[in-house]
Amino acid sequence: MHNRLLNIVTEYKKEAYTDVILQKPDAQLIYHLSPQRHTIIDFFEWTGTEQVLELAAGCGAITEALAERAGFVCAITGSTDDQAVVEKRLQSAQNLSCETLELSQPSACEERLEQLRQTSCPQGFDVVTLIGVTEQLSHINGQILQELIQLAYRLLKEDGVLLYAGPNRYGMKYFAGAKEDRLHKYFAGIEGYSGETDCASFSKKELQRMLDSAGFLQTECYYPHQDYRLPLTIYSDRRLPAVGELKQEMANYDDDRMALFDEGHAFDGVITEGMYPFFANSYLIQANKGNGRLNAPDYARFAVDRSPAFAVKTAIRGNQVYKTAVYPEGRTHIAHICEAWKHLSEQYGATLTFNRIPEQTQDQIRLEYVEGESLNSRINRLLSRGDTGLAYELLEQLQQLLTGVPQTEFVMTEEFRQVFGQSAAEKLAKSGLQFQTLQYSDIDLIPQNVLKTPDGDQVIDYEWTFDFPIPVEYIVYRGLWMTAMENDGYEAFEPDRLLARFGIDRRKREIFDAMEAGFQAYVCGGKPPLRSTLLTMKRRFTDIRALDEKIDKIKKSPLGRWL
């Protein structure tokens, strides 16, 4: 793997890493090269002056993000092969030093690390990171991690910060049948690593005891989902996930796994009982030696598997929401969202309220945080108690709000072809069907984005608003499809049945399916998003309940008497 990585970082610029991954998807390539690894660093605000010591740098995925955001980075790898990849990968970085130490023996490394501290920043490092340390070291257990945390404490300046990220031994995915990341065994951490020499994951309480023992004054815990390696969403104790927010996405791209139960439904239960922090799949912890800290939001979601022109970070801080362009190319998209608010507010008047934008800069907009229950959450609650009729009524009310403004006849445009693709345009033309359209179409006006508030229904996301003709039934289709996907398991909300109930037959669905495929390609710059790639990389996947049903059928068949 090291030779392969070294060849890639020698031959390609970092902007091409995603293309390399997509050519022949591989779990190790994704782990080491995907820009999605950077989100755990981008969760925090960096001033560009921080002096950072990165322990267990691996092949430089996190190093790359740190070097772009901090003032200086001293990266410590676990092997000379790792070091060679990091140095080639970041050969143009002027703010980086890199060397190899055996971190699984912390006491043997301390003298050299102290020398590096005195040379680089005599007062101590501003930040020390232990991100993925349980996967990078040749040997790891609780004692080694404790010693590394204590070592990090001594190397920090008086108001320095430690960033730790790693798996939770009691993470929901491990109960549901995923193997341990390092040991590749089922239930190893849950069973206390009985008979194992390595201990690769730690609970929140275990980590807190280590940090307290080292002398850290305060800690803040965050929860990367699905885990810390490729997180697209990061929660905090100030903003935990809501019921229905964590849906089942069992991408076992890195190892075989079982499916013992529906993780999304299980998460709903533990969230209701206030136990999510215990069952979170992984932890990101900021530990403060003194009064210093890295500013961080209460919540962040990263839409980074898009084209750079549309990549956006959405963060919640207190009662404000911020949408920020991840890359300079995204500034036009940020400005477009502001224009969308003006047009939609005029179009719908008092019928629908769209979340206001009180502040705008070149790279960012600020919106007011809206408290309320989403229409999708209300539908899920109704379905769970058997009120299918009322759930249908809520969808019908949204359809009426969506279509209750002036409409005109749909006509094909070049803008439609650019956004939804030539295939969708041809299917639409061949169908002979007539559609109506709105002047401004918010194709994300779906149940997940409509909140019930004391002041009425409010739309919180209108990022994908267009001013060219789009069949209004396509917007209805999107809302129904996504609602069906997030309420799977209810027969009445099976996609085909739900779409048919609202007048979307097979011919229309074929057109809208093509439109959706074209739109997703447009958003992702013509490339499949990483999340889709991960789902196609499944290793052996054993659904225990499905297997049990097959065994029952065999027992009842003529072959059953031989079992």
Side-chain angles (χ1 to χ4, degrees):
M1 176 52 68
H2 284 98
N3 287 337
R4 187 180 180 192
L5 286 171
L6 190 58
N7 289 336
I8 291 170
V9 300
T10 300
E11 183 177 351
Y12 298 93
K13 295 181 179 180
K14 65 177 183 179
E15 292 79 10
Y17 290 168
T18 298
D19 293 331
V20 174
I21 291 170
L22 293 174
Q23 287 173 13
K24 191 175 181 181
D26 175 271
Q28 288 299 311
L29 282 187
I30 291 170
Y31 179 77
H32 291 298
L33 296 179
S34 172
Q36 196 169 312
R37 293 289 314 280
H38 297 178
T39 57
I40 207 156
I41 297 300
D42 288 340
F43 180 69
F44 300 96
E45 295 179 9
W46 300 82
T47 65
T49 62
E50 294 86 0
Q51 306 288 299
V52 180
L53 172 64
E54 182 190 14
L55 298 177
C59 290
I62 301 299
T63 317
E64 188 173 71
L66 290 170
E68 292 175 357
R69 292 152 184 79
F72 170 75
V73 180
C74 178
I76 305 299
T77 64
S79 72
T80 54
D81 287 337
D82 284 350
Q83 182 178 345
V85 174
V86 173
E87 290 179 338
K88 177 58 71 172
R89 180 177 192 166
L90 296 167
Q91 59 185 333
S92 62
Q94 301 298 310
N95 61 339
L96 174 71
S97 71
C98 183
E99 66 178 83
T100 298
L101 293 173
E102 182 49 79
L103 291 174
S104 59
Q105 300 174 26
S107 59
C109 303
E110 182 165 10
E111 182 178 352
R112 178 54 185 155
L113 289 171
E114 178 60 27
Q115 290 173 356
L116 291 172
R117 182 194 66 78
Q118 292 177 3
T119 303
S120 306
C121 39
Q123 293 183 345
F125 291 97
D126 297 301
V127 180
V128 175
T129 69
L130 285 168
I131 296 175
V133 63
T134 57
E135 293 193 61
Q136 296 295 339
L137 299 195
S138 60
H139 178 52
I140 186 70
N141 56 35
Q143 181 60 39
I144 292 172
L145 181 57
Q146 176 72 80
E147 291 178 18
L148 285 172
I149 290 173
Q150 291 170 341
L151 179 56
Y153 181 90
R154 293 192 291 272
L155 294 167
L156 284 167
K157 63 193 298 187
E158 287 306 309
D159 60 350
V161 169
L162 169 67
L163 294 182
Y164 169 88
N168 170 22
R169 71 184 331 188
Y170 299 118
M172 182 68 76
K173 68 177 185 178
Y174 300 125
F175 283 97
K179 291 181 180 179
E180 279 270 354
D181 302 336
R182 179 187 177 96
L183 300 180
H184 305 287
K185 295 182 178 180
Y186 293 114
F187 314 120
I190 295 170
E191 295 177 344
Y193 295 106
S194 176
E196 301 290 345
T197 57
D198 273 18
C199 176
S201 59
F202 303 90
S203 70
K204 187 178 179 181
K205 282 190 174 181
E206 287 173 320
L207 292 168
Q208 188 65 61
R209 283 195 293 267
M210 293 181 195
L211 294 164
D212 290 343
S213 176
F216 286 97
L217 291 182
Q218 55 183 341
T219 58
E220 294 178 77
C221 191
Y222 308 99
Y223 309 97
H225 188 77
Q226 290 188 9
D227 63 26
Y228 77 95
R229 293 176 296 177
L230 296 166
L232 289 177
T233 308
I234 301 179
Y235 298 92
S236 73
D237 287 319
R238 297 184 298 276
R239 205 293 192 181
L240 293 169
V243 170
E245 203 166 328
L246 305 181
K247 285 303 172 184
Q248 187 173 15
E249 302 172 23
M250 292 200 281
N252 56 312
Y253 62 94
D254 56 344
D255 211 335
D256 301 336
R257 71 160 292 168
M258 297 183 290
L260 302 181
F261 54 78
D262 185 304
E263 290 173 49
H265 292 163
F267 266 128
D268 285 347
V270 302
I271 289 168
T272 300
E273 296 298 321
M275 297 177 67
Y276 172 75
F278 181 83
F279 288 102
N281 286 332
S282 60
Y283 298 122
L284 168 62
I285 297 176
Q286 176 175 193
N288 311 102
K289 185 175 181 179
N291 295 322
R293 69 185 297 273
L294 292 173
N295 288 330
D298 303 337
Y299 161 93
R301 178 166 179 80
F302 298 87
V304 293
D305 53 355
R306 301 173 174 179
S307 160
F310 303 122
V312 172
K313 171 187 174 182
T314 302
I316 297 174
R317 299 187 189 94
N319 62 352
Q320 302 295 323
V321 179
Y322 297 84
K323 283 186 176 289
T324 308
V326 176
Y327 306 103
E329 298 95 314
R331 291 169 178 167
T332 301
H333 187 57
I334 292 295
H336 165 81
I337 298 173
C338 293
E339 290 300 311
W341 176 80
K342 297 174 186 176
H343 294 314
L344 291 170
S345 297
E346 292 173 358
Q347 176 169 283
Y348 285 95
T351 308
L352 269 177
T353 303
F354 293 80
N355 195 9
R356 196 168 64 89
I357 302 174
E359 184 179 334
Q360 175 189 3
T361 66
Q362 187 179 33
D363 299 296
Q364 185 182 82
I365 55 174
R366 176 173 64 85
L367 304 95
E368 295 175 348
Y369 181 68
V370 180
E371 290 279 3
E373 185 181 17
S374 74
L375 179 57
N376 183 67
S377 176
R378 290 154 64 195
I379 289 170
N380 181 267
R381 186 159 42 81
L382 290 169
L383 291 174
S384 67
R385 66 183 192 218
D387 290 338
T388 305
L390 289 176
Y392 283 144
E393 285 184 20
L394 289 180
L395 286 173
E396 289 165 359
Q397 290 170 15
L398 178 60
Q399 183 181 28
Q400 290 167 7
L401 287 172
L402 171 66
T403 59
V405 294
Q407 300 177 37
T408 57
E409 187 173 325
F410 171 82
V411 292
M412 181 58 63
T413 63
E414 186 57 33
E415 291 91 343
F416 181 97
R417 292 187 176 90
Q418 290 174 357
V419 174
F420 296 103
Q422 184 62 29
S423 175
E426 291 175 358
K427 288 180 184 295
L428 206 157
K430 290 178 181 178
S431 72
L433 296 172
Q434 300 295 314
F435 293 99
Q436 295 295 106
T437 185
L438 306 170
Q439 184 177 5
Y440 298 102
S441 299
D442 172 12
I443 67 171
D444 247 0
L445 214 168
I446 58 177
Q448 292 81 349
N449 291 333
V450 180
L451 298 191
K452 184 177 181 62
T453 75
D455 300 321
D457 291 329
Q458 184 150 166
V459 181
I460 59 170
D461 195 346
Y462 38 87
E463 183 179 358
W464 299 108
T465 297
F466 299 98
D467 61 358
F468 58 82
I470 297 172
V472 69
E473 280 187 272
Y474 168 66
I475 307 176
V476 176
Y477 153 90
R478 290 193 95 231
L480 294 172
W481 176 261
M482 293 184 186
T483 302
M485 291 299 98
E486 294 203 10
N487 293 280
D488 60 322
Y490 297 101
E491 185 177 350
F493 269 53
E494 188 274 327
D496 289 339
R497 177 176 295 190
L498 188 62
L499 290 169
R501 181 182 176 89
F502 283 82
I504 298 176
D505 59 20
R506 181 188 56 78
R507 287 198 303 163
K508 290 179 181 178
R509 180 173 173 180
E510 185 176 324
I511 295 168
F512 298 154
D513 284 348
M515 286 180 63
E516 185 64 18
F519 173 65
Q520 293 300 330
Y522 169 76
V523 171
C524 296
K527 304 170 186 175
L530 182 61
R531 62 182 182 274
S532 299
T533 303
L534 296 181
L535 291 170
T536 64
M537 288 174 59
K538 286 183 176 178
R539 307 271 290 271
R540 187 175 61 191
F541 182 85
T542 306
D543 187 323
I544 297 300
R545 287 179 294 188
L547 182 61
D548 189 52
E549 290 174 2
K550 289 181 180 178
I551 292 173
D552 283 344
K553 287 182 180 179
I554 293 172
K555 285 181 177 179
K556 294 174 182 177
S557 73
L559 294 174
R561 68 194 191 95
W562 300 102
L563 296 177

